[in-house]
Amino acid sequence: MKLTAERLRTSVRSAAPTSTHPPPVSAADVGLLVLRLAGLLLAGHGAQKLFGLFGGAGLSATGKGFEALGYRPGVLFATLGGASELCGGLGLALGLFTPLAAAAVIGVMINAMSVSSGSGLWADKGGMEYPLCLALVAIAVSAIGPGRLALDRSFRWGQGGWWSAAVALGMGGIGAGIVLSLQGVTL
């Protein structure tokens, strides 16, 4: 019995790959990269709010829009929203600090959904379809992990999993809850 067990261990060790080259990039890694690149659109949306880039209104005008929605002071909340979109979007696109980037996206999208929830689901009627999709992508990328084509690939949180998804969803939800609790409160 001991001899058979030793032969099995030896054959498993000798069957192990001896190459030090990393495995080739898989279709799943490329697919995750393509999915994460949606973060660039969100980062651009944040740059519109903060800096007026890409035809955006800039911080002052965006702040006035936020005030009209009940977020006071508008410039403060426009800055938080724009920074969350810019940093969260770039983080997802790069696969950098993925759970934190996903949390930023989830938090700002929960706020966007709360603003548009009275209009139903579909975007053509002003509903929350688009922010819901972005939040779901952020949760999924956090749960799956950013893939091998990411800056997080060598870190524990870059592997995805339940904890990564829980951190993203929990921190995003807490951040959104704090902002929503302050909505309408003049600071």
Side-chain angles (χ1 to χ4, degrees), residues 84 87-92 96-106 138:
S84 294
C87 296
L90 287 175
L92 279 183
L96 180 62
F97 303 116
T98 303
L100 297 178
V105 171
I106 292 164

Side-chain angles (χ1 to χ4, degrees), residues 134-157:
L134 288 177
L136 292 174
V137 165
I139 293 168
V141 169
S142 186
I144 296 166
R148 286 190 54 228
L149 301 174
L151 296 176
D152 275 351
R153 69 184 172 276
S154 59
F155 297 106
R156 182 176 179 182
W157 63 82

Side-chain angles (χ1 to χ4, degrees), residues 115-132:
V115 168
S116 58
S117 65
S119 300
L121 177 62
W122 302 112
D124 64 337
K125 302 207 184 336
M128 61 180 186
E129 167 191 3
Y130 184 65
L132 177 60

Side-chain angles (χ1 to χ4, degrees), residues 34-122:
V34 170
L35 185 63
R36 288 190 350 254
L37 288 178
L40 292 177
L41 293 172
L42 186 59
H45 195 69
Q48 287 179 314
K49 284 181 175 72
L50 294 172
F51 311 116
L53 297 176
F54 311 116
L59 195 53
S60 178
T62 303
K64 289 177 184 170
F66 270 59
E67 291 233 357
L69 294 170
Y71 291 89
R72 292 183 183 85
V75 171
L76 170 68
F77 286 106
T79 302
L80 287 173
S84 294
E85 290 172 349
L86 180 65
C87 296
L90 287 175
L92 279 183
L94 295 171
L96 180 62
F97 303 116
T98 303
L100 297 178
V105 171
I106 292 164
V108 77
M109 289 303 116
I110 289 172
N111 274 273
M113 286 185 272
S114 75
V115 168
S116 58
S117 65
S119 300
L121 177 62
W122 302 112

